């Protein structure tokens, strides 16, 4: 049966296996890990010497040599091998001072490497009993997001809010709960206007609780639901909200990927989906923009998650909303869709981070839509066993309710192959939670910068397998790829979401390299890195400019240690400028820009025509004739212009 766009808005992105037949076969829990507190200082350094014998016959003598190089007192602690020593500082050094000391050691050609001897710990462990089944947050599978490594860097912040625009939420779930009562879910708002669709007895109001979105055969006799499929309540918003903001380390159920991140529930979907007008109103309100008839949002979101969509292009209404919301510094994340065809709207809107669904091994999961509008790929859940009696090992375990219509009891999705929880609806929230963790360590990151770091830090897709077809960009809505295929950067995004690497990138300085002037031989351009910024609680300390990969005449950097510098380009060349910025805790990032400086155009030679065979200095008759002719033409032109004005 053909589904209406209204129905598709919610159900397209919720994929729950309802039969063991006719599904692509795609289906392990992994171990949990404890928290790293990375020290801000250390009193030990590991040194490897290129020729240990030349620097001294004993570790003590080599320590004396190292003390002179580092210009600080170092004593021998122990030796790892004949050429590798551990030396002890008299007092711990800050990260910045340690970097300087190591730099002095590395300046000596006899030192192969010098590295801080840091303390390490087990990875962050939560007490949530179902964490071992949340393979997609851990690091044991190729496509898993490594969120456990991100938790080593940050547990997120309650000041960061992710808005979940969906079917509402079950506040009474023990892994959610109202923030006013110690939970993670803010008050939110219900923007569903149509009373029949809302299914809660009224239209818009301040209660975004999910009453259920079931559709019966009798409902299908009503005009609003004629083209809808009969279905039980999805509790879709609760599933999505729990994936981002489930209570973490509370000894109950699952862990929310955002840990301390709070969720703002904005109800925009009901029975058989929801209308664009309600969704756009909800998006605007979530971002803190004014919406007619609705109160001011007291807790605007920094990230908006849209696990919804339908076929078609990005409309002008969505484009305008996205532009206005991103201008306020809010990142919009949207799921790709579950049709295996072109990316759904609004995930295909410019400025939105679209997320495709991946199998645990990093290939595209059969149901996921795909295309060049996708920014990143993330787990969507898949089953690999061939028997309907075996568990779906790679499903997405989330909070839900057991009621088939109205709410009944809080529960969690399981690995039953008949009810496995799958869909790009759950790929998107993983990226949204990642952005929230990034914002918790660097609140200055803009939507574009968040997206840039998420893409840059992604894990490359696995190498193509001859037994698996390669994904291609769909040529039409009918060009469906509903089976596993090998991802490319044109079909599944920049790579596989790596939450740990993305948060690590957000902790480091964000480098912005700007230039003034054109790069041409014989000229100078001004390079400026002063717009770069550090993450929360850190300050930038050093700027280092360098020129690399030169083809042609090497340019010269003036004042290379300043935030702004001048680059002299003496001759034609193609070259890359690199700016490396360091913060006061040793965090470092680089940005590069490539220039091609062409030689300046050569002016044609000036010649003096001569008459006959006479001497120089006289103008040839031919040129005089041309001058006289041009004078007459100019005069005639002026006359015509004057006549024209008089007419």
């Amino acid at each position: 049966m053909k589904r209406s766009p209204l129905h598709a808005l919610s159900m397209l992105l919720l994929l729950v296996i309802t039969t063991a037949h006719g599904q692509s076969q795609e289906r392990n829990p992994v171990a949990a890990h404890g928290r790293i507190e990375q020290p801000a200082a250390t009193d030990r350094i590991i040194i490897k010497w290129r020729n240990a014998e030349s620097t001294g016959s004993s570790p003590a003598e080599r320590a004396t040599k190292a003390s002179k190089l580092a210009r600080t007192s170092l004593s021998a602690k122990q030796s790892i091998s004949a050429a590798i020593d551990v030396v002890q500082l008299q007092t711990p050094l800050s990260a910045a001072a340690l970097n300087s000391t190591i730099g002095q050691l590395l300046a000596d050609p006899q030192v192969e490497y010098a590295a801080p001897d840091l303390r390490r710990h087990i990875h962050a462990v939560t007490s949530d009993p179902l964490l071992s089944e949340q393979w997609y947050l851990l690091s044991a599978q190729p496509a898993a997001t490594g969120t456990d490594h991100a938790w080593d860097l940050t547990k997120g912040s309650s000041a960061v809010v992710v808005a979940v625009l969906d079917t509402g939420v079950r506040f009474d779930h023990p892994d959610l709960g109202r923030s006013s009562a110690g939970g993670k879910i803010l008050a939110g708002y219900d923007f569903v206007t149509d009373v029949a669709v809302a299914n809660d007895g009224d239209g818009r109001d301040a209660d975004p609780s999910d009453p259920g979105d079931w559709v019966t055969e009798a409902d299908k006799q009503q005009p609003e639901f004629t083209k809808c499929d009969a279905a039980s309540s999805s509790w879709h918003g609760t599933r999505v909200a729990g994936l981002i903001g489930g209570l973490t380390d509370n000894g109950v159920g699952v862990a929310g990927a955002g840990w301390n991140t709070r969720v703002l529930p904005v109800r925009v979907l009901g029975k058989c989906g929801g209308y664009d007008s309600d969704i756009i109103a909800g998006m605007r309100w979530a971002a803190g923009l004014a919406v007619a008839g609705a109160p001011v949002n007291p807790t605007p979101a920094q990230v908006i998650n849209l696990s919804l969509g339908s076929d078609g292009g990005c409309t002008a209404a969505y484009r305008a909303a996205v532009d206005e919301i991103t201008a306020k510094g809010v990142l919009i994340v949207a799921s790709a869709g579950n049709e295996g065809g072109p990316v759904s709207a609004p995930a295909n809107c410019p400025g939105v981070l679209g997320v495709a669904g991946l199998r645990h091994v990093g290939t595209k999961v059969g149901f996921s839509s795909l295309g060049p509008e996708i920014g990143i790929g993330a787990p969507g859940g898949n089953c690999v066993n061939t028997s309907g009696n075996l568990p779906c090992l790679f499903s997405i375990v989330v909070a839900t309710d057991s009621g088939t219509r109205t709410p009944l009891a809080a529960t969690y999705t399981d690995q039953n192959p008949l009810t496995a929880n799958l869909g790009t609806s759950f790929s998107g929230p993983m990226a949204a939670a990642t952005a929230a963790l990034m914002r918790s360590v660097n609140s200055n990151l803009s939507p574009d910068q968040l997206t840039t770091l998420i893409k840059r830090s992604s894990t490359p897709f696995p190498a193509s397998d001859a037994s698996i077809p390669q994904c291609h960009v769909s040529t039409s809505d009918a060009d469906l790829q509903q089976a596993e295929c090998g991802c490319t950067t044109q079909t599944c995004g920049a790579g596989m979401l790596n939450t740990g690497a993305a948060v690590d990138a957000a902790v480091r300085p964000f480098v912005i390299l700007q230039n003034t002037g054109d790069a041409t031989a014989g000229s100078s351009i001004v390079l400026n890195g002063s717009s770069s910024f550090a993450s929360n609680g850190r300050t930038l300390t050093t700027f280092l400019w360098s020129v690399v990969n030169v083809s042609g005449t090497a340019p010269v950097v003036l004042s290379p240690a300043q935030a702004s510098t001048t680059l002299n380009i003496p001759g034609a060349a193609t070259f890359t400028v690199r700016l490396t910025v360091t913060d006061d805790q040793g965090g470092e990032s680089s940005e590069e820009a490539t220039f091609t400086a062409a030689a300046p155009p050569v002016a044609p030679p000036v010649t003096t025509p001569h008459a006959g065979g006479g001497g120089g200095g006289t103008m040839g008759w031919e040129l005089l004739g041309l001058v006289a002719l041009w004078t007459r033409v100019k005069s005639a032109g002026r006359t015509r212009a004057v006549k024209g004005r008089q007419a």
Side-chain angles (χ1 to χ4, degrees):
M1 175 183 294
K2 181 177 175 61
R3 297 181 180 183
S4 69
L6 175 64
H7 177 84
L9 279 165
S10 65
M11 301 311 295
L12 173 63
L13 297 182
L14 170 67
L15 187 63
V16 179
I17 294 181
T18 57
T19 173
H21 305 288
Q23 300 291 335
S24 57
Q25 298 301 324
E26 330 215 11
R27 299 219 173 201
N28 190 35
V30 291
H33 302 296
R35 177 166 171 76
I36 286 181
E37 285 292 347
Q38 190 67 281
T42 184
D43 59 357
R44 295 151 61 119
I45 299 174
I46 304 171
I47 304 173
K48 183 176 182 183
W49 304 92
R50 295 187 188 278
N51 186 346
E53 294 300 323
S54 68
T55 58
S57 58
S58 70
E61 290 174 317
R62 293 195 293 270
T64 300
K65 166 74 172 177
S67 297
K68 294 178 180 179
L69 296 176
R71 301 173 190 171
T72 188
S73 179
L74 301 170
S75 60
K77 178 72 175 177
Q78 68 186 60
S79 291
I80 298 174
S81 72
I84 304 175
D85 296 327
V86 180
V87 295
Q88 180 85 46
L89 291 142
Q90 282 189 330
T91 58
L93 295 178
S94 67
L98 182 62
N99 280 345
S100 176
T101 298
I102 288 176
Q104 290 167 339
L105 289 168
L106 292 173
D108 191 286
Q110 294 178 342
V111 176
E112 182 173 332
Y113 69 71
D117 189 11
L118 300 175
R119 187 184 296 273
R120 305 291 175 178
H121 304 274
I122 60 175
H123 289 301
V125 172
T126 79
S127 60
D128 306 279
L130 295 178
L131 179 65
S132 62
E133 297 180 21
Q134 294 180 272
W135 62 272
Y136 40 89
L137 299 184
L138 306 175
S139 306
Q141 299 297 332
T145 61
T147 302
D148 54 340
H149 292 299
W151 292 338
D152 293 336
L153 299 171
T154 180
K155 290 183 179 178
S157 169
S158 60
V160 177
V161 175
V162 177
V164 172
L165 275 68
D166 219 292
T167 64
V169 70
R170 294 307 308 162
F171 287 98
D172 54 359
H173 198 289
D175 241 347
L176 297 175
R178 294 182 182 274
S179 59
S180 58
K184 301 277 289 297
I185 311 301
L186 296 164
Y189 204 80
D190 179 0
F191 278 93
V192 181
T193 305
D194 188 289
V195 176
V197 172
N199 203 31
D200 60 358
D202 58 19
R204 293 185 177 183
D205 58 39
D207 181 11
S209 298
D210 188 348
D213 57 356
W214 75 93
V215 176
T216 66
E217 290 295 335
D219 288 331
K220 293 170 62 176
Q221 306 307 311
Q222 301 180 44
E224 296 95 332
F225 310 124
T226 300
K227 296 182 179 180
C228 304
D229 289 342
S232 299
S233 290
S234 67
W235 313 113
H236 194 266
T238 298
R239 299 181 187 218
V240 172
L243 185 53
I244 298 170
L247 285 166
T248 302
D249 202 26
N250 65 333
V252 175
V254 295
W259 201 302
N260 288 326
T261 303
R262 293 189 295 171
V263 169
L264 179 70
V266 182
R267 188 166 184 249
V268 295
L269 305 177
K271 291 168 74 77
C272 202
Y275 291 98
D276 282 347
S277 54
D278 291 342
I279 295 168
I280 291 171
M283 291 169 64
R284 289 177 51 83
W285 186 83
L289 297 169
V291 175
V296 174
N297 179 4
T299 53
Q302 289 79 45
V303 182
I304 292 175
N305 184 84
L306 301 172
S307 290
L308 52 80
S310 62
D311 296 342
C314 179
T315 66
Y318 272 118
R319 285 177 180 266
V322 170
D323 289 346
E324 194 170 4
I325 290 167
T326 54
K328 281 190 63 75
V330 180
L331 174 66
I332 302 171
V333 180
S335 302
N338 293 333
E339 298 299 319
V343 179
S344 299
N348 57 15
C349 291
V352 172
L353 177 59
V355 188
L358 305 178
R359 299 175 75 248
H360 67 291
V361 294
T363 50
K364 187 190 83 72
V365 66
F367 53 75
S368 178
S369 297
L370 71 169
E373 302 90 349
I374 295 297
I376 200 74
N382 58 281
C383 303
V384 297
N385 50 288
T386 57
S387 170
N389 297 322
L390 296 177
C392 179
L393 298 180
F394 297 106
S395 62
I396 309 297
V397 182
V398 292
T400 188
D401 192 278
S402 60
T404 57
R405 292 191 182 183
T406 58
L408 181 61
T411 187
Y412 301 88
T413 58
D414 55 33
Q415 294 177 312
N416 185 327
L418 300 179
T419 57
N421 189 64
L422 315 171
T424 61
S425 277
F426 311 107
S427 310
M430 294 184 203
T434 299
L437 291 174
M438 295 168 71
R439 283 296 296 264
S440 74
V441 298
N442 195 334
S443 55
N444 294 317
L445 291 169
S446 69
D448 283 346
Q449 291 164 349
L450 285 167
T451 298
T452 295
L453 292 183
I454 287 173
K455 290 180 177 181
R456 285 184 181 178
S457 61
S458 63
T459 303
F461 295 117
S464 57
D465 185 331
S467 66
I468 300 172
Q470 190 169 5
C471 303
H472 65 268
V473 176
S474 297
T475 57
S476 68
D477 290 344
D479 181 10
L480 303 180
Q481 299 167 73
Q482 296 177 322
E484 176 188 11
C485 60
C487 282
T488 69
T489 54
Q490 280 295 300
T491 53
C492 306
M496 301 184 290
L497 177 68
N498 188 329
T499 303
V503 173
D504 180 65
V507 170
R508 300 173 185 274
F510 192 93
V511 183
I512 299 175
L513 193 164
Q514 299 170 311
N515 69 279
T516 303
D518 296 326
T520 57
S523 68
S524 298
I525 59 173
V526 176
L527 304 171
N528 195 332
S530 60
S531 295
S532 305
F533 54 89
S535 58
N536 297 350
R538 301 189 181 195
T539 56
L540 301 182
T541 55
T542 61
F543 294 79
L544 179 62
W545 299 90
S546 58
V547 177
V548 297
N549 301 327
V550 179
S551 174
T553 305
V556 179
V557 177
L558 305 179
S559 304
Q562 305 298 319
S564 180
T565 189
T566 300
L567 186 71
N568 285 343
I569 311 171
T574 295
F575 56 91
T576 298
V577 175
R578 177 184 298 151
L579 170 60
T580 301
V581 176
T582 307
D583 64 32
D584 58 350
Q585 295 189 38
E588 181 181 283
S589 295
S590 297
E591 185 65 37
E592 295 182 346
T594 299
F595 300 88
T596 297
V602 179
V606 177
T607 59
T608 303
H610 299 276
T618 59
M619 184 177 292
W621 290 107
E622 296 90 344
L623 183 60
L624 285 172
L626 288 173
V627 170
L629 177 61
W630 173 240
T631 302
R632 289 196 297 274
V633 169
K634 287 182 67 180
S635 175
R638 284 196 296 272
T639 302
R640 286 195 293 272
V642 171
K643 289 182 177 178
R645 285 199 297 272
Q646 290 174 336

